[in-house]
Amino acid sequence: MLKLKIDQIAENLITIHPLLYKSISRPMRNQTSITPGGMFVLGSLKRHGILSMSDIGKCLSMPKPHITVIVDKLIEEGYVERQSDPKDRRIVNIHLTDKGLKDFEDIKQAVSENLKSKLVKLGEEELEQLSAASQKVKEILISILSKE
Amino acid sequence: MLKLKIDQIAENLITIHPLLYKSISRPMRNQTSITPGGMFVLGSLKRHGILSMSDIGKCLSMPKPHITVIVDKLIEEGYVERQSDPKDRRIVNIHLTDKGLKDFEDIKQAVSENLKSKLVKLGEEELEQLSAASQKVKEILISILSKE
DNA sequence: ATAAATAGTTATACATTTGTAACCATTACA
DNA sequence: TGTAATGGTTACAAATGTATAACTATTTAT
């Protein structure tokens, strides 16, 4: 029964969500100055390269006014830049700066320190399984959720 | 190299995090009256049965004063109950009520409607893979992150 | 018996997120 | 040309989450 399979997937993802909140969002507040919202926006830009303000909102299902606030802060810190679209001057395109790209990687390292300290306790077999499984979850979720 | 594998896992989880935020936390605000924090607490109680206030805080790495606020609201709605521990009267144990257990399941259904509408577009093969992969990620993350 | 430690609450200040409406500039269209 | 639609910002109110300190009650340990 496919419906049962779908229910099980939803159940699994709902269970995983707070575990990621705990191991990723929480350390973010202690070890970096970036907010979860800002981190999500940087991640969207890393994946898609250039996004309009509306596109970012769709990527994250966030209201546009909130995107403006987040992007303003990211610009202050030099992580991203605004660039008006020559073909449609209403559109504001956002892209990562070199600094933004580099710092994003650094922040990911810092944020995942705590998580990694727990992963090292796993056996080689489990690490292999978790690596493959997380890769698969990531790929499929991106394929169905990525943009709109 | 195990280190590379660990880095890859962290990278995957950091990528998955905003996708779950988008597909789970966001619909929660539109389709239910419960907050993400309240939902996380209910999930912890569902898994562990009974937890002290401090235990809940450890499960989610949340500060105790915030737990108090969340639990107060869950009690107002009749989802959980306080119960002082007879062996150590400082400790306040929290447990789900019947209503809490039932409503938790209902809320999960409501929250995952949107997600499921996207999952049905996947082929049987992919559903099978995602089911197995999400199950594996869930199990291993619970094993290393669950309590403290 | 007293002091230190623990569990939880209360209070407070602040940051982040959410939601809505109004507004401007630009584009699409009739 | 005039009107509607779109992309984005601004302004504002409210909810939620975060961080810290002070406080009470209880337990532990000396």
Side-chain angles (χ1 to χ4, degrees):
Chain A
M1 268 296 278
L2 293 186
K3 184 177 176 324
L4 283 181
K5 201 122 282 179
I6 288 177
D7 283 343
Q8 187 58 51
I9 292 170
E11 171 81 24
N12 290 342
L13 296 180
I14 288 178
T15 304
I16 291 169
H17 185 35
L19 298 169
L20 297 186
Y21 159 81
K22 174 184 183 175
S23 60
I24 296 175
S25 272
R26 214 87 237 303
M28 213 179 283
R29 317 308 288 270
N30 303 327
Q31 299 174 3
T32 76
S33 66
I34 200 165
T35 65
M39 196 65 180
F40 291 171
V41 169
L42 292 183
S44 302
L45 290 170
K46 171 80 186 299
R47 181 174 325 131
H48 293 103
I50 292 183
L51 289 171
S52 71
M53 297 294 284
S54 292
D55 288 340
I56 296 173
K58 283 178 194 162
C59 273
L60 301 171
S61 295
M62 278 180 186
K64 283 192 290 183
H66 192 195
I67 305 296
T68 299
V69 172
I70 293 174
V71 166
D72 280 348
K73 196 166 298 180
L74 292 175
I75 288 175
E76 267 182 33
E77 318 209 3
Y79 295 155
V80 306
E81 283 175 350
R82 281 196 172 85
Q83 200 173 15
S84 89
D85 189 319
K87 291 180 187 164
D88 182 341
R89 280 154 48 217
R90 292 171 301 182
I91 297 176
V92 177
N93 288 311
I94 311 296
H95 62 92
L96 282 172
T97 62
D98 290 344
K99 169 179 162 59
L101 182 58
K102 181 187 172 306
D103 285 10
F104 179 54
E105 298 302 326
D106 290 346
I107 292 168
K108 281 198 291 188
Q109 289 302 316
V111 165
S112 55
E113 272 318 312
N114 176 49
L115 178 60
K116 290 182 191 171
S117 72
K118 281 161 187 160
L119 290 174
V120 294
K121 296 173 186 165
L122 291 173
E124 189 167 353
E125 168 77 9
E126 280 177 314
L127 278 179
E128 178 55 52
Q129 290 178 345
L130 182 56
S131 175
S134 61
Q135 182 73 28
K136 179 59 73 178
V137 171
K138 180 180 82 170
E139 285 170 6
I140 297 186
L141 288 186
I142 285 177
S143 79
I144 60 176
L145 298 173
S146 189
K147 266 210 167 174
E148 221 295 343
Chain B
M1 267 297 276
L2 292 186
K3 186 178 176 324
L4 283 181
K5 200 124 283 183
I6 288 176
D7 283 344
Q8 186 58 53
I9 292 169
E11 172 81 24
N12 290 342
L13 296 180
I14 288 178
T15 303
I16 292 169
H17 186 34
L19 297 170
L20 296 187
Y21 159 81
K22 174 184 183 174
S23 60
I24 296 176
S25 271
R26 213 86 238 302
M28 213 179 284
R29 318 307 289 268
N30 303 329
Q31 299 176 3
T32 77
S33 66
I34 201 166
T35 66
M39 195 67 178
F40 291 171
V41 169
L42 293 183
S44 302
L45 290 170
K46 171 81 186 299
R47 182 175 323 131
H48 293 102
I50 292 183
L51 289 171
S52 70
M53 298 293 286
S54 292
D55 287 340
I56 296 173
K58 284 178 194 162
C59 274
L60 301 171
S61 294
M62 278 180 185
K64 283 193 291 182
H66 192 194
I67 305 296
T68 298
V69 172
I70 293 174
V71 167
D72 280 348
K73 196 166 298 182
L74 293 175
I75 288 175
E76 266 182 34
E77 318 210 2
Y79 294 155
V80 306
E81 282 176 352
R82 282 195 172 86
Q83 201 172 16
S84 88
D85 189 318
K87 291 179 185 164
D88 182 342
R89 282 156 45 218
R90 291 171 301 182
I91 297 176
V92 176
N93 289 311
I94 311 296
H95 63 91
L96 282 172
T97 62
D98 291 343
K99 169 179 161 60
L101 182 57
K102 182 188 172 306
D103 285 10
F104 179 55
E105 298 302 325
D106 290 346
I107 292 168
K108 281 198 291 190
Q109 289 302 316
V111 165
S112 54
E113 273 317 311
N114 176 49
L115 178 60
K116 289 182 192 171
S117 72
K118 281 163 187 158
L119 290 175
V120 295
K121 295 174 187 166
L122 291 174
E124 189 166 354
E125 168 76 10
E126 279 176 315
L127 277 179
E128 179 57 51
Q129 290 178 343
L130 182 55
S131 174
S134 61
Q135 182 72 28
K136 179 59 73 179
V137 170
K138 180 180 80 169
E139 284 170 6
I140 297 185
L141 287 187
I142 285 178
S143 79
I144 60 175
L145 297 173
S146 188
K147 264 209 168 176
E148 220 293 343

